[in-house]
PDB file of all heavy atoms in Angstrom:
ATOM      1  N   ARG A 757      -7.297 -12.372  -4.689  1.00  0.00           N
ATOM      2  CA  ARG A 757      -6.004 -11.747  -4.325  1.00  0.00           C
ATOM      3  C   ARG A 757      -4.837 -12.628  -4.745  1.00  0.00           C
ATOM      4  O   ARG A 757      -3.780 -12.123  -5.150  1.00  0.00           O
ATOM      5  CB  ARG A 757      -5.971 -11.413  -2.827  1.00  0.00           C
ATOM      6  CG  ARG A 757      -5.827 -12.590  -1.881  1.00  0.00           C
ATOM      7  CD  ARG A 757      -6.254 -12.208  -0.485  1.00  0.00           C
ATOM      8  NE  ARG A 757      -5.994 -13.228   0.504  1.00  0.00           N
ATOM      9  CZ  ARG A 757      -6.652 -13.324   1.656  1.00  0.00           C
ATOM     10  NH1 ARG A 757      -7.607 -12.466   1.946  1.00  0.00           N
ATOM     11  NH2 ARG A 757      -6.345 -14.247   2.529  1.00  0.00           N
ATOM     12  N   GLN A 758      -5.043 -13.955  -4.696  1.00  0.00           N
ATOM     13  CA  GLN A 758      -3.974 -14.842  -5.166  1.00  0.00           C
ATOM     14  C   GLN A 758      -3.785 -14.693  -6.676  1.00  0.00           C
ATOM     15  O   GLN A 758      -2.663 -14.788  -7.178  1.00  0.00           O
ATOM     16  CB  GLN A 758      -4.291 -16.289  -4.778  1.00  0.00           C
ATOM     17  CG  GLN A 758      -4.156 -16.513  -3.263  1.00  0.00           C
ATOM     18  CD  GLN A 758      -4.656 -17.861  -2.782  1.00  0.00           C
ATOM     19  OE1 GLN A 758      -5.427 -18.525  -3.479  1.00  0.00           O
ATOM     20  NE2 GLN A 758      -4.262 -18.261  -1.585  1.00  0.00           N
ATOM     21  N   ALA A 759      -4.884 -14.415  -7.380  1.00  0.00           N
ATOM     22  CA  ALA A 759      -4.794 -14.202  -8.831  1.00  0.00           C
ATOM     23  C   ALA A 759      -4.000 -12.932  -9.145  1.00  0.00           C
ATOM     24  O   ALA A 759      -3.210 -12.901 -10.090  1.00  0.00           O
ATOM     25  CB  ALA A 759      -6.194 -14.115  -9.448  1.00  0.00           C
ATOM     26  N   VAL A 760      -4.189 -11.900  -8.338  1.00  0.00           N
ATOM     27  CA  VAL A 760      -3.406 -10.672  -8.536  1.00  0.00           C
ATOM     28  C   VAL A 760      -1.921 -10.985  -8.345  1.00  0.00           C
ATOM     29  O   VAL A 760      -1.070 -10.545  -9.128  1.00  0.00           O
ATOM     30  CB  VAL A 760      -3.856  -9.544  -7.574  1.00  0.00           C
ATOM     31  CG1 VAL A 760      -2.949  -8.332  -7.705  1.00  0.00           C
ATOM     32  CG2 VAL A 760      -5.302  -9.152  -7.839  1.00  0.00           C
ATOM     33  N   MET A 761      -1.635 -11.794  -7.324  1.00  0.00           N
ATOM     34  CA  MET A 761      -0.245 -12.197  -7.072  1.00  0.00           C
ATOM     35  C   MET A 761       0.329 -12.960  -8.268  1.00  0.00           C
ATOM     36  O   MET A 761       1.483 -12.787  -8.638  1.00  0.00           O
ATOM     37  CB  MET A 761      -0.153 -13.071  -5.811  1.00  0.00           C
ATOM     38  CG  MET A 761      -0.495 -12.354  -4.529  1.00  0.00           C
ATOM     39  SD  MET A 761       0.701 -11.065  -4.122  1.00  0.00           S
ATOM     40  CE  MET A 761      -0.300 -10.090  -2.995  1.00  0.00           C
ATOM     41  N   GLN A 762      -0.507 -13.807  -8.865  1.00  0.00           N
ATOM     42  CA  GLN A 762      -0.051 -14.564 -10.036  1.00  0.00           C
ATOM     43  C   GLN A 762       0.253 -13.618 -11.206  1.00  0.00           C
ATOM     44  O   GLN A 762       1.182 -13.862 -11.981  1.00  0.00           O
ATOM     45  CB  GLN A 762      -1.095 -15.612 -10.446  1.00  0.00           C
ATOM     46  CG  GLN A 762      -1.267 -16.745  -9.435  1.00  0.00           C
ATOM     47  CD  GLN A 762      -0.033 -17.631  -9.292  1.00  0.00           C
ATOM     48  OE1 GLN A 762       0.813 -17.673 -10.174  1.00  0.00           O
ATOM     49  NE2 GLN A 762       0.081 -18.312  -8.171  1.00  0.00           N
ATOM     50  N   LEU A 763      -0.519 -12.559 -11.319  1.00  0.00           N
ATOM     51  CA  LEU A 763      -0.233 -11.563 -12.362  1.00  0.00           C
ATOM     52  C   LEU A 763       1.111 -10.886 -12.106  1.00  0.00           C
ATOM     53  O   LEU A 763       1.885 -10.654 -13.034  1.00  0.00           O
ATOM     54  CB  LEU A 763      -1.339 -10.497 -12.405  1.00  0.00           C
ATOM     55  CG  LEU A 763      -2.662 -10.903 -13.030  1.00  0.00           C
ATOM     56  CD1 LEU A 763      -3.667  -9.758 -12.925  1.00  0.00           C
ATOM     57  CD2 LEU A 763      -2.485 -11.283 -14.501  1.00  0.00           C
ATOM     58  N   TYR A 764       1.357 -10.567 -10.844  1.00  0.00           N
ATOM     59  CA  TYR A 764       2.668  -9.980 -10.514  1.00  0.00           C
ATOM     60  C   TYR A 764       3.771 -10.944 -10.944  1.00  0.00           C
ATOM     61  O   TYR A 764       4.747 -10.570 -11.581  1.00  0.00           O
ATOM     62  CB  TYR A 764       2.828  -9.784  -8.993  1.00  0.00           C
ATOM     63  CG  TYR A 764       1.946  -8.779  -8.308  1.00  0.00           C
ATOM     64  CD1 TYR A 764       1.796  -8.818  -6.913  1.00  0.00           C
ATOM     65  CD2 TYR A 764       1.281  -7.775  -9.000  1.00  0.00           C
ATOM     66  CE1 TYR A 764       1.017  -7.905  -6.235  1.00  0.00           C
ATOM     67  CE2 TYR A 764       0.487  -6.858  -8.318  1.00  0.00           C
ATOM     68  CZ  TYR A 764       0.356  -6.928  -6.928  1.00  0.00           C
ATOM     69  OH  TYR A 764      -0.412  -6.031  -6.249  1.00  0.00           O
ATOM     70  N   SER A 765       3.588 -12.185 -10.522  1.00  0.00           N
ATOM     71  CA  SER A 765       4.606 -13.187 -10.711  1.00  0.00           C
ATOM     72  C   SER A 765       4.894 -13.443 -12.198  1.00  0.00           C
ATOM     73  O   SER A 765       6.045 -13.515 -12.627  1.00  0.00           O
ATOM     74  CB  SER A 765       4.122 -14.468 -10.024  1.00  0.00           C
ATOM     75  OG  SER A 765       5.110 -15.436 -10.040  1.00  0.00           O
ATOM     76  N   PHE A 766       3.825 -13.550 -12.969  1.00  0.00           N
ATOM     77  CA  PHE A 766       3.966 -13.809 -14.399  1.00  0.00           C
ATOM     78  C   PHE A 766       4.759 -12.695 -15.085  1.00  0.00           C
ATOM     79  O   PHE A 766       5.696 -12.944 -15.855  1.00  0.00           O
ATOM     80  CB  PHE A 766       2.580 -13.937 -15.050  1.00  0.00           C
ATOM     81  CG  PHE A 766       2.625 -14.172 -16.529  1.00  0.00           C
ATOM     82  CD1 PHE A 766       2.935 -15.429 -17.038  1.00  0.00           C
ATOM     83  CD2 PHE A 766       2.380 -13.140 -17.426  1.00  0.00           C
ATOM     84  CE1 PHE A 766       2.992 -15.643 -18.422  1.00  0.00           C
ATOM     85  CE2 PHE A 766       2.434 -13.347 -18.798  1.00  0.00           C
ATOM     86  CZ  PHE A 766       2.740 -14.601 -19.292  1.00  0.00           C
ATOM     87  N   ASN A 767       4.384 -11.468 -14.795  1.00  0.00           N
ATOM     88  CA  ASN A 767       5.015 -10.346 -15.490  1.00  0.00           C
ATOM     89  C   ASN A 767       6.433 -10.071 -14.997  1.00  0.00           C
ATOM     90  O   ASN A 767       7.326  -9.789 -15.795  1.00  0.00           O
ATOM     91  CB  ASN A 767       4.116  -9.107 -15.379  1.00  0.00           C
ATOM     92  CG  ASN A 767       2.880  -9.274 -16.235  1.00  0.00           C
ATOM     93  OD1 ASN A 767       2.949  -9.224 -17.456  1.00  0.00           O
ATOM     94  ND2 ASN A 767       1.744  -9.539 -15.602  1.00  0.00           N
ATOM     95  N   LEU A 768       6.639 -10.199 -13.696  1.00  0.00           N
ATOM     96  CA  LEU A 768       7.999 -10.055 -13.181  1.00  0.00           C
ATOM     97  C   LEU A 768       8.879 -11.184 -13.718  1.00  0.00           C
ATOM     98  O   LEU A 768      10.055 -10.978 -14.028  1.00  0.00           O
ATOM     99  CB  LEU A 768       7.985 -10.070 -11.646  1.00  0.00           C
ATOM    100  CG  LEU A 768       9.336  -9.834 -10.966  1.00  0.00           C
ATOM    101  CD1 LEU A 768       9.946  -8.496 -11.379  1.00  0.00           C
ATOM    102  CD2 LEU A 768       9.204  -9.912  -9.447  1.00  0.00           C
ATOM    103  N   GLY A 769       8.286 -12.353 -13.877  1.00  0.00           N
ATOM    104  CA  GLY A 769       9.014 -13.504 -14.415  1.00  0.00           C
ATOM    105  C   GLY A 769       9.543 -13.249 -15.816  1.00  0.00           C
ATOM    106  O   GLY A 769      10.654 -13.649 -16.161  1.00  0.00           O
ATOM    107  N   LYS A 770       8.754 -12.568 -16.638  1.00  0.00           N
ATOM    108  CA  LYS A 770       9.212 -12.234 -18.006  1.00  0.00           C
ATOM    109  C   LYS A 770      10.446 -11.344 -17.940  1.00  0.00           C
ATOM    110  O   LYS A 770      11.417 -11.547 -18.678  1.00  0.00           O
ATOM    111  CB  LYS A 770       8.114 -11.470 -18.762  1.00  0.00           C
ATOM    112  CG  LYS A 770       6.879 -12.287 -19.038  1.00  0.00           C
ATOM    113  CD  LYS A 770       6.961 -12.924 -20.405  1.00  0.00           C
ATOM    114  CE  LYS A 770       5.762 -13.798 -20.636  1.00  0.00           C
ATOM    115  NZ  LYS A 770       6.100 -15.137 -21.102  1.00  0.00           N
ATOM    116  N   LEU A 771      10.377 -10.334 -17.084  1.00  0.00           N
ATOM    117  CA  LEU A 771      11.495  -9.399 -16.968  1.00  0.00           C
ATOM    118  C   LEU A 771      12.725 -10.122 -16.410  1.00  0.00           C
ATOM    119  O   LEU A 771      13.847  -9.907 -16.881  1.00  0.00           O
ATOM    120  CB  LEU A 771      11.086  -8.216 -16.081  1.00  0.00           C
ATOM    121  CG  LEU A 771       9.955  -7.365 -16.677  1.00  0.00           C
ATOM    122  CD1 LEU A 771       9.280  -6.512 -15.604  1.00  0.00           C
ATOM    123  CD2 LEU A 771      10.469  -6.473 -17.805  1.00  0.00           C
ATOM    124  N   GLY A 772      12.493 -10.986 -15.442  1.00  0.00           N
ATOM    125  CA  GLY A 772      13.585 -11.757 -14.847  1.00  0.00           C
ATOM    126  C   GLY A 772      14.242 -12.667 -15.870  1.00  0.00           C
ATOM    127  O   GLY A 772      15.467 -12.802 -15.906  1.00  0.00           O
TER     128      GLY A 772
END
Side-chain angles (χ1 to χ4, degrees):
R757 73 199 187 203
Q758 289 171 341
V760 175
M761 294 294 160
Q762 292 294 339
L763 285 177
Y764 293 163
S765 186
F766 179 77
N767 289 288
L768 184 58
K770 294 266 177 230
L771 296 161

